[in-house]
Amino acid sequence: MREIIVTEPLFVSSFRCTGSACRDHCCKSWSISIDKKTVKKYTTSKNIQIKNIAHENIQLVKKNSQDWGVINFSPETGSCPYLDQDRLCLVQKNLGKEALSHTCSTFPRSNRTYKNEVHHSLTISCPEVVSILLNNPDAMGMTEKVNLQNDFNSAQPIQPKAKLLNLFCLSLMNAADASIEASLYAVIKFVMFIQKYDEITDSALTDIESAYLLLVAQLEDGTISRELGSLQVDYRVKTSLLLLLQDYFAKLETSRGTHVLNYYSDFLRLAISSNEDSPLENKVREIESRWVGVIQDDLTNQRFAFKNYILYKFWHNNFPNHSQRSMLQSLYLIIAEYYYIKIVSASYALGKGNIDTGHITNIIYSFHSISQHNQNVAENFYQHIETVRLGDDLSMIHLLA
Ligand code: SF4
């Protein structure tokens, strides 16, 4: 027998789909690709209702065996045609869980599989997942267990360097009771330090550990926060990013989460379009100053919420390891997303007087539902954000200062 190490954060083990009670059911307003076997199963089903719905609503695309058909959702309700009046799935109800397509049976779960390891995660297009992250202080606590199976997985082994770097970045983010901005600034410094090593030899590891420990000490004694506070901020980076994202989302076709994100981003639109005589920079300053109140007052019992969000991004994206992006590029994207979510949340708090984790859950799940529904959408979105980087990997520091 072979030993497979399974690593799972607490938010994965504690997740339960809320089904018909979900605030924005995933069987709505987006397209679901289904595999060849499932298309055949539905179109030839002995259950007349399943069969008729399949013939009327499954559009054959035949791209490959995994992407054989697309379920057309109702133009009136935006719902999957297999969703019944009680918001329950007719396939699951009549044919059982095993008859669900790969997409339907796995969402929101996602695994990273290596030869002798598996890392579990969940996508945050699901509001329930976000809610756990924002409300459970231990949501990003890791558990590890060993499963026995006949053979190793048919995937590449995990690279020890990649695993180590991910662990260092997670630990640095979690190391001290510093602000998220200061912790992210420390991660930037750490990434700049480690990117000079092509491989982690024993002597490089000693240097990297020393750099890590120094950054932890500087986070704890406030050196990092003071350094970040003394930087000259270029507000062009902030305002360009906000305007670009507002424009990007406004031009996208309506999909699941659109109306929710629009509702919240309207508060940002209002905050930056009011008082025409005031420069945009001053308006962004005002929204940012409301953010301090969000963390100190509105989230007084959930100050861990956004730290959990960043830890999730590090874990889910296997940061800083990405085959097509540099470590600093990957970090820039995480920071840019965080900045937008933070400013939309602060704008809402400014307009309404306060904000709680229920509203922040709405902002985060709808943002990810729209921008990262699938790999192509996510890639397009990231290329868009990249245009604000002004060719400078370190422009992200301005989003933290
Ligand atoms: S979005 Fe999440 S909680 Fe809601 S129905 Fe889908 S899996 Fe369940």
Side-chain angles (χ1 to χ4, degrees):
M1 295 298 268
R2 306 293 188 186
E3 290 190 348
I4 308 292
I5 302 165
V6 179
T7 311
E8 185 169 280
L10 192 80
F11 76 89
V12 178
S13 30
S14 58
F15 170 75
R16 301 284 176 276
C17 170
T18 53
S20 56
C22 180
R23 69 175 80 189
D24 194 359
H25 212 289
C26 50
C27 305
K28 262 180 59 190
S29 309
W30 55 9
S31 62
I32 293 181
S33 299
I34 46 177
D35 54 275
K36 190 174 178 181
K37 216 169 108 196
T38 308
V39 171
K40 192 164 174 216
K41 197 183 294 168
Y42 296 176
T43 50
T44 59
S45 175
K46 290 196 176 85
N47 182 306
I48 298 298
Q49 194 181 15
I50 300 289
K51 186 174 161 179
N52 287 346
I53 291 175
H55 282 292
E56 283 166 24
N57 298 283
I58 295 179
Q59 185 192 337
L60 295 179
V61 290
K62 298 185 182 178
K63 284 189 190 159
N64 54 56
S65 58
Q66 281 312 305
D67 195 0
W68 198 255
V70 173
I71 301 187
N72 289 329
F73 283 20
S74 158
E76 287 84 37
T77 62
S79 297
C80 174
Y82 285 116
L83 204 62
D84 73 7
Q85 283 174 339
D86 300 324
R87 302 216 296 167
L88 295 173
C89 174
L90 283 170
V91 173
Q92 188 163 353
K93 216 160 127 180
N94 292 299
L95 307 183
K97 203 175 161 199
E98 41 304 325
L100 293 171
S101 68
H102 178 74
T103 311
C104 298
S105 63
T106 52
F107 185 86
R109 298 187 182 274
S110 80
N111 294 342
R112 257 195 316 277
T113 304
Y114 304 97
K115 185 178 173 189
N116 62 339
E117 285 205 32
V118 181
H119 295 175
H120 287 174
S121 189
L122 299 166
T123 161
I124 48 175
S125 306
C126 164
E128 186 55 24
V129 178
V130 185
S131 180
I132 298 171
L133 287 169
L134 301 188
N135 292 297
N136 184 343
D138 303 319
M140 284 308 300
M142 298 287 171
T143 59
E144 211 172 79
K145 63 178 178 184
V146 176
N147 282 351
L148 292 178
Q149 58 188 51
N150 286 337
D151 219 336
F152 285 123
N153 298 318
S154 60
Q156 293 294 313
I158 193 163
Q159 295 295 319
K161 176 192 168 191
K163 186 173 178 178
L164 209 58
L165 294 184
N166 179 247
L167 286 175
F168 268 126
C169 291
L170 283 166
S171 307
L172 196 51
M173 198 63 215
N174 225 358
D177 191 22
S179 70
I180 293 170
E181 285 71 13
S183 301
L184 283 169
Y185 184 49
V187 176
I188 295 175
K189 288 177 148 236
F190 184 67
V191 167
M192 286 171 67
F193 183 81
I194 57 177
Q195 68 180 3
K196 62 185 179 191
Y197 294 99
D198 288 334
E199 67 175 309
I200 301 187
T201 58
D202 286 349
S203 81
L205 184 59
T206 309
D207 290 350
I208 289 171
E209 271 179 6
S210 305
Y212 165 80
L213 290 173
L214 177 66
L215 287 166
V216 171
Q218 290 180 336
L219 274 171
E220 279 168 356
D221 71 14
T223 306
I224 295 277
S225 297
R226 284 193 296 279
E227 190 179 311
L228 185 60
S230 69
L231 296 176
Q232 193 78 34
V233 186
D234 183 348
Y235 269 82
R236 283 175 310 163
V237 179
K238 298 182 178 198
T239 53
S240 304
L241 179 75
L242 293 175
L243 294 175
L244 178 115
L245 286 182
Q246 287 288 78
D247 184 56
Y248 178 81
F249 287 123
K251 286 182 179 153
L252 282 185
E253 272 181 31
T254 302
S255 70
R256 174 174 175 268
T258 303
H259 66 286
V260 178
L261 189 63
N262 280 351
Y263 170 75
Y264 291 98
S265 54
D266 273 351
F267 286 90
L268 170 58
R269 203 165 292 124
L270 202 68
I272 57 182
S273 60
S274 63
N275 189 4
E276 282 178 12
D277 297 336
S278 172
L280 195 51
E281 175 182 324
N282 290 356
K283 295 173 189 173
V284 173
R285 272 184 212 279
E286 193 194 349
I287 301 169
E288 283 184 345
S289 64
R290 182 62 186 87
W291 174 250
V292 178
V294 169
I295 292 292
Q296 283 174 1
D297 306 321
D298 304 289
L299 298 181
T300 189
N301 295 321
Q302 287 115 332
R303 290 199 185 161
F304 55 84
F306 276 90
K307 200 161 252 191
N308 273 356
Y309 166 75
I310 299 291
L311 288 170
Y312 164 84
K313 296 296 280 192
F314 283 8
W315 172 251
H316 190 77
N317 297 358
N318 194 18
F319 174 78
N321 310 298
H322 194 284
S323 54
Q324 265 121 46
R325 278 186 209 113
S326 73
M327 297 185 201
L328 284 175
Q329 271 178 315
S330 300
L331 188 52
Y332 167 75
L333 293 173
I334 291 173
I335 290 175
E337 288 178 324
Y338 163 66
Y339 185 72
Y340 186 71
I341 288 167
K342 153 182 165 174
I343 291 299
V344 171
S345 303
S347 302
Y348 178 87
L350 200 59
K352 286 282 192 180
N354 58 51
I355 189 165
D356 58 25
T357 51
H359 290 289
I360 298 171
T361 297
N362 286 342
I363 293 168
I364 294 179
Y365 99 80
S366 59
F367 175 90
H368 287 84
S369 175
I370 297 167
S371 61
Q372 281 144 62
H373 168 46
N374 61 38
Q375 225 172 348
N376 289 345
V377 172
E379 215 32 63
N380 188 332
F381 175 66
Y382 286 141
Q383 279 173 15
H384 218 75
I385 304 189
E386 280 277 332
T387 57
V388 178
R389 226 159 38 94
L390 308 173
D392 173 8
D393 271 342
L394 295 179
S395 62
M396 66 181 135
I397 293 174
H398 296 290
L399 300 176
L400 300 174

